[in-house]
Amino acid sequence: MKTDAVSLLKADHKKVKALFTQFESAEGRREKKKIVAEALLELKLHAAIEEEIFYAAVRRTVGKELMNEADEEHHVAKVLIAELENMDGRESHYDAKFTVLAENVRHHIKEEESEMLPKAQTMKLNFEKLGAQMAERKQQLLDSGFPPVGEETMVAASGGEGDSPARIADQTGAARG
Ligand SMILES: [Fe+2]
């Protein structure tokens, strides 16, 4: 298995895309929740190592436009992840929220693989070393947990009020998923 930074990111992408596909054909609530939990953990690990290590290393060369867009896609993903983590899986908008997260991430992966990564690869960077740092950081996060995420604080502070479509649907007694 290749261990350079770009190969690691691509392997992560493959893993989450497979989980998204599994979710689409999953039927039972329990199975869906299990897939969602696995995908959220993968995405959180992936976002952390990208932001802390990879993005930081390639930002200047890749350029502001692509990098800022990637940042915003991470932000949206982190809001949806935080909301999903506060749900029990029976809410009317649970499946829709995960589906939109998956669509956002699929789009993000496409842009990374077609634009950001090829640009980054033109750099004279030690991608093996960067990959080793990323793998090490991932293990550290698994062992000792994640640092605080701003989007989690934001979602928690709104007490569910910020998620207007889901709140209205559940208040008006729309069918729970
Ligand atoms: Fe990313």
Side-chain angles (χ1 to χ4, degrees), residues 44-45 52 137-148:
K44 283 165 71 173
L45 287 168
E52 292 177 13
R137 179 62 178 141
K138 214 182 215 187
Q139 194 53 51
Q140 209 175 51
L141 290 166
L142 281 171
D143 294 341
S144 16
F146 291 86

Side-chain angles (χ1 to χ4, degrees), residues 6-24:
V6 171
S7 301
L8 286 188
L9 292 179
K10 285 187 177 170
D12 278 356
H13 290 169
K14 222 171 146 186
K15 205 188 288 175
V16 293
K17 283 198 286 188
L19 288 166
F20 296 156
T21 309
Q22 271 180 45
F23 180 84
E24 282 157 11

Side-chain angles (χ1 to χ4, degrees), residues 14-169:
K14 222 171 146 186
K15 205 188 288 175
V16 293
K17 283 198 286 188
L19 288 166
F20 296 156
T21 309
Q22 271 180 45
F23 180 84
E24 282 157 11
S25 56
E27 290 192 354
R29 191 52 31 203
R30 191 187 299 185
E31 193 191 349
K32 282 187 178 173
K33 277 186 74 173
K34 202 172 144 248
I35 297 166
V36 170
E38 205 182 322
L40 297 190
L41 176 63
E42 285 299 329
L43 289 171
K44 283 165 71 173
L45 287 168
H46 184 74
I49 61 166
E50 270 191 346
E51 289 170 18
E52 292 177 13
I53 301 168
F54 193 80
Y55 283 10
V58 305
R59 181 173 293 274
R60 196 169 297 170
T61 301
V62 170
K64 210 163 83 178
E65 200 181 325
L66 273 183
M67 294 307 301
N68 288 357
E69 217 181 286
D71 291 341
E72 290 302 322
E73 285 160 0
H74 275 211
H75 169 60
V76 171
K78 287 197 271 190
V79 171
L80 296 176
I81 289 170
E83 288 178 346
L84 281 162
E85 284 188 325
N86 286 329
M87 291 172 115
D88 69 13
R90 289 177 296 125
E91 296 81 358
S92 66
H93 280 54
Y94 183 82
D95 285 13
K97 203 177 281 295
F98 186 73
T99 301
V100 170
L101 172 65
E103 283 167 0
N104 172 60
V105 172
R106 278 182 175 131
H107 164 83
H108 176 73
I109 288 175
K110 212 178 267 175
E111 288 201 335
E112 279 192 356
E113 293 194 356
S114 65
E115 298 181 61
M116 183 196 294
L117 297 180
K119 258 194 174 171
Q121 280 174 309
T122 64
M123 293 173 74
K124 288 209 172 1
L125 256 183
N126 187 338
F127 285 100
E128 278 298 332
K129 199 171 150 203
L130 207 60
Q133 280 172 17
M134 284 157 58
E136 196 187 319
R137 179 62 178 141
K138 214 182 215 187
Q139 194 53 51
Q140 209 175 51
L141 290 166
L142 281 171
D143 294 341
S144 16
F146 291 86
V149 171
E151 287 79 354
E152 280 169 13
T153 314
M154 182 177 93
V155 167
S158 93
E161 290 297 306
D163 185 2
S164 62
R167 180 172 50 84
I168 290 163

